[in-house]
Amino acid sequence: EGFSSVKCFLSLYRFQACVYFASVFQAMSCGIHYLASVFMAVTPNFVCGFPGNVSSVLFHNSSASSIEDIWTLWTSTENYIVVQLENGEIWELDQCSRSKREVSLDLAYEYEGNKSVFPCSDGFLYDDTKWKSTVVTQWDLVCDREWLAKLIQPTFMLGVLIGAVIFGDIADRLGRQRVIWFTSAGQFVFGIAVAFTFDYYSFVIVRFLLAMVSSGYLVVAFVYVTEFVGIKARTWASMHVHAFFAMGIMIVALVGFLVRTWWVYQIFLSIATLPFVLCCWMLPETPFWLLSAERYEDAQKVIDTMARWNKVSTPCEVSELCSVQQDDLASGRMGDDATSSAKKHNILDLFCNWQIARRTITVWLIWFTGSLGYYVFSLSSVSLGGNEYLNLFLIGAVELPCYIIACVAMDKLGRRNTLIPFLILSALICVLIMFIPQDFNILIILANMAGKFSIGVAFGLIYLYTAELYPTIVRTLAVGSGSMMCRVGSVVAPFCVYLRSVWIFMPLLLVGIMALLSGILTIMLPETLGKPLTNTLVEATEMGRNKKSYSEKTPAEHSGAALEKIEMFGQERVSTDK
């Protein structure tokens, strides 16, 4: 049924299909910029610089005339290199310090005599066999400045959090079209500007702005396409916005393999979506927003354009839609509780009773775990051994089938019955990876792909499930708060990955514990497949307590044609962000 819906969408709705694919094409740039730092901020092997010209180099039993010849033998950060300068001085070069031997007789690797320790005042020497230049080598973000390198990804994710909030609100006020234009142009401009930053702090600031517009585009693009796509293909269309994000990750791996200088790499990544920037001005405003802003003539023009593209001989009239909507709204309001409609709801309503509070805590935990697991598997892929470029490419590619599985499973098995096994499966995979020997690189990579697949299914499903778990009066609030927890997870994920230095399996252990806990708590959530959306907190609570009696209810207010459109519109406004 899902595949036939998509086929119907492509064949009958040409206009919507063109708008959809044009919009989600730019979603690739979000995936590109979100994961660009995995290669841009690589820390290669390095040692302290030395004062003078080298005549010979010694590493254990191997000698060479230059340090560049030694890097292939480097196996551990605890190693050091012995160099003899042209003036006869012998130095031992560690990563964050250097020692001058007091007695310079024979060049030997082991030395028991007196040494004078000096700081790395002459800079550092980096292994450039893989990367000619990274931001770490550009600004010496090592040793006592290493923490600056580790802040690059978290500060970007902080920009993602803030950008989603700001541009989501602007899109509701000024329209989706304008925000689409601005954030698309912003991604290109700030993406290019990052390559020409002159120091670390300007680099972080411009990347922060880039994160804001990238996040803003992803949020608004999701709303934009769902407001154009017909209801039959909406689930598939909205889920596969994530698929284009994954394609952006694959592009990062490809460009990283081909370009080894960080600023050239950044320029190529930013140029990748230039075609959309040049043509995005042709995208129309959505009729839904135009109607909500009472711009009826503009809405009619868009509807007429859609009718011409789709070869509809009798396009609908805005006046007819408005009259039906007003009639149904009036009748719907008569059946509602007056105090409920007048009351302004806040975050505390998500904890109004034990049933709803437990549901909120569980949903927030799933959002956080999904984002944490998604980025831990993605960011860790370059450290699995083997070819790091192929690893990242496969981690992105495995997402493409996972969203198809999620769409099919959520419609056949149900939302909860799909979410529980995939959360628990991701926890089991995290445990399994810990028992795989480190020299089994292929098996480790396959296991990480399976982990990313399972957490991806859960991560993609939670958007729709959250909207169905809460009543109309707090639905947007519930999804918005869950999305905030998602972004908190994305900010925490880079720090979680850095815990590999404490214990190599620490990130997987944390993700596994969170996924297992989330899976167990999800058992207590009600199933929403085939059930009408609730309108009040009382109905939502009843859905959790007495599932059979609730499923047999069909409130009268769900029968009105216009109110169905309003309900549908409420689902369309659910925003998403990676």
Side-chain angles (χ1 to χ4, degrees):
E1 181 183 350
F3 285 108
S4 62
S5 299
V6 176
K7 184 178 179 181
C8 177
F9 165 64
L10 294 175
S11 60
L12 298 180
Y13 304 103
R14 295 183 183 88
F15 182 88
Q16 289 93 323
C18 290
V19 169
Y20 175 78
F21 286 109
S23 302
V24 298
F25 177 79
Q26 183 70 357
M28 288 193 299
S29 67
C30 300
I32 286 172
H33 295 305
Y34 276 43
L35 272 297
S37 66
V38 295
F39 296 130
M40 187 191 307
V42 169
T43 301
N45 295 325
F46 67 94
V47 292
C48 257
F50 46 83
N53 297 321
V54 64
S55 60
S56 58
V57 181
L58 188 63
F59 183 74
H60 291 293
N61 295 325
S62 302
S63 60
S65 57
S66 66
I67 289 184
E68 286 74 15
D69 301 325
I70 294 295
W71 291 126
T72 55
L73 305 175
W74 188 275
T75 57
S76 172
T77 57
E78 297 179 359
N79 292 327
Y80 63 91
I81 296 175
V82 178
V83 298
Q84 185 171 33
L85 305 185
E86 291 180 350
N87 60 9
E89 295 179 350
I90 298 178
W91 290 78
E92 294 181 8
L93 307 178
D94 293 300
Q95 285 202 317
C96 297
S97 65
R98 55 184 181 173
S99 304
K100 179 182 177 182
R101 295 179 178 178
E102 297 296 338
V103 179
S104 304
L105 297 177
D106 297 325
L107 181 62
Y109 194 75
E110 300 294 339
Y111 176 74
E112 300 295 336
N114 295 327
K115 294 182 285 187
S116 300
V117 180
F118 297 90
C120 300
S121 55
D122 291 297
F124 299 88
L125 301 174
Y126 297 96
D127 178 7
D128 61 357
T129 53
K130 281 190 176 181
W131 277 82
K132 298 300 181 184
S133 172
T134 71
V135 295
V136 173
T137 64
Q138 180 88 13
W139 296 304
D140 288 336
L141 304 181
V142 293
C143 298
D144 58 342
R145 287 168 57 86
E146 182 183 9
W147 65 277
L148 294 175
K150 291 185 175 181
L151 282 180
I152 291 175
Q153 188 67 16
T155 53
F156 184 92
M157 289 303 181
L158 183 62
V160 167
L161 190 156
I162 295 174
V165 175
I166 292 177
F167 287 106
D169 181 66
I170 293 176
D172 285 338
R173 296 173 183 270
L174 302 181
R176 289 80 165 96
Q177 182 191 49
R178 294 180 182 178
V179 176
I180 290 284
W181 291 352
F182 179 80
T183 53
S184 299
Q187 284 187 83
F188 177 74
V189 171
F190 290 130
I192 295 295
V194 166
F196 295 97
T197 49
F198 52 87
D199 63 8
Y200 170 81
Y201 298 102
S202 62
F203 170 82
V204 170
I205 291 172
V206 177
R207 282 256 304 170
F208 183 85
L209 297 175
L210 175 61
M212 289 180 62
V213 294
S214 297
S215 173
Y217 181 86
L218 197 61
V219 168
V220 178
F222 183 89
V223 177
Y224 184 79
V225 298
T226 52
E227 288 182 356
F228 268 114
V229 173
I231 191 170
K232 289 185 177 180
R234 180 165 296 121
T235 299
W236 284 75
S238 59
M239 285 288 284
H240 282 79
V241 173
H242 302 303
F244 282 86
F245 183 96
M247 290 174 65
I249 298 177
M250 296 163 67
I251 291 174
V252 170
L254 179 62
V255 176
F257 175 74
L258 297 175
V259 183
R260 306 299 178 90
T261 302
W262 78 266
W263 60 272
V264 179
Y265 160 86
Q266 176 65 28
I267 290 175
F268 272 90
L269 290 179
S270 302
I271 291 176
T273 53
L274 180 60
F276 178 81
V277 177
L278 298 177
C279 67
C280 68
W281 59 272
M282 293 186 291
L283 293 176
E285 184 57 81
T286 68
F288 278 103
W289 186 85
L290 292 172
L291 288 173
S292 68
E294 299 182 353
R295 292 170 53 180
Y296 302 118
E297 292 183 4
D298 293 333
Q300 186 65 62
K301 291 179 181 178
V302 176
I303 292 173
D304 292 341
T305 303
M306 294 169 65
R308 287 195 301 270
W309 276 64
N310 298 334
K311 297 182 179 180
V312 176
S313 56
T314 56
C316 63
E317 297 292 333
V318 169
S319 57
E320 296 176 4
L321 290 176
C322 293
S323 62
V324 173
Q325 181 174 319
Q326 289 172 357
D327 291 342
D328 279 0
L329 279 175
S331 62
R333 280 195 296 266
M334 291 175 64
D336 289 341
D337 181 62
T339 58
S340 175
S341 61
K343 178 184 176 182
K344 289 186 176 181
H345 297 276
N346 55 51
I347 196 73
L348 296 179
D349 289 304
L350 300 180
F351 300 88
C352 63
N353 59 53
W354 170 241
Q355 288 280 347
I356 299 298
R358 185 176 62 185
R359 187 177 305 175
T360 299
I361 293 172
T362 302
V363 167
W364 282 4
L365 184 63
I366 297 170
W367 279 89
F368 178 86
T369 302
S371 179
L372 180 70
Y374 182 93
Y375 284 105
V376 165
F377 280 114
S378 298
L379 295 173
S380 299
S381 62
V382 296
S383 304
L384 298 178
N387 190 310
E388 58 264 44
Y389 308 104
L390 180 60
N391 294 350
L392 184 63
F393 184 88
L394 293 176
I395 285 292
V398 76
E399 286 190 59
L400 303 183
C402 97
Y403 297 126
I404 298 176
I405 298 297
C407 287
V408 174
M410 73 167 64
D411 288 337
K412 299 295 183 181
L413 303 177
R415 283 70 160 122
R416 184 188 63 178
N417 295 337
T418 301
L419 191 59
I420 292 171
F422 277 103
L423 282 172
I424 295 177
L425 178 61
S426 61
L428 294 177
I429 291 173
C430 288
V431 175
L432 176 64
I433 294 174
M434 298 181 192
F435 291 95
I436 300 176
Q438 289 299 295
D439 53 345
F440 284 50
N441 288 336
I442 295 178
L443 193 56
I444 291 175
I445 293 168
L446 291 175
N448 274 270
M449 290 176 62
K452 176 69 177 296
F453 180 93
S454 58
I455 205 72
V457 171
F459 193 29
L461 188 153
I462 189 59
Y463 294 99
L464 179 61
Y465 193 29
T466 303
E468 295 175 341
L469 283 172
Y470 290 89
T472 304
I473 57 175
V474 293
R475 185 169 297 125
T476 302
L477 186 64
V479 176
S481 63
S483 185
M484 289 297 292
M485 292 304 298
C486 160
R487 295 171 194 129
V488 172
S490 67
V491 173
V492 173
F495 294 108
C496 186
V497 173
Y498 298 149
L499 292 177
R500 286 175 60 92
S501 60
V502 178
W503 184 42
I504 190 172
F505 296 124
M506 184 65 76
L508 291 173
L509 178 64
L510 295 177
V511 172
I513 292 173
M514 298 295 291
L516 181 61
L517 180 60
S518 300
I520 294 173
L521 292 177
T522 304
I523 297 174
M524 296 183 289
L525 295 179
E527 180 56 69
T528 59
L529 177 64
K531 296 181 180 179
L533 294 178
T534 57
N535 281 330
T536 66
L537 288 166
V538 174
E539 291 178 3
T541 304
E542 184 70 16
M543 179 174 64
R545 288 176 178 170
N546 192 344
K547 300 168 187 174
K548 182 178 179 181
S549 63
Y550 176 78
S551 63
E552 295 171 352
K553 290 183 180 181
T554 305
E557 54 264 38
H558 287 282
S559 61
L563 196 56
E564 284 183 9
K565 292 179 181 179
I566 295 172
E567 186 177 271
M568 181 178 66
F569 180 57
Q571 293 183 59
E572 289 162 352
R573 291 169 64 85
V574 174
S575 64
T576 180
D577 182 41
K578 286 279 189 181

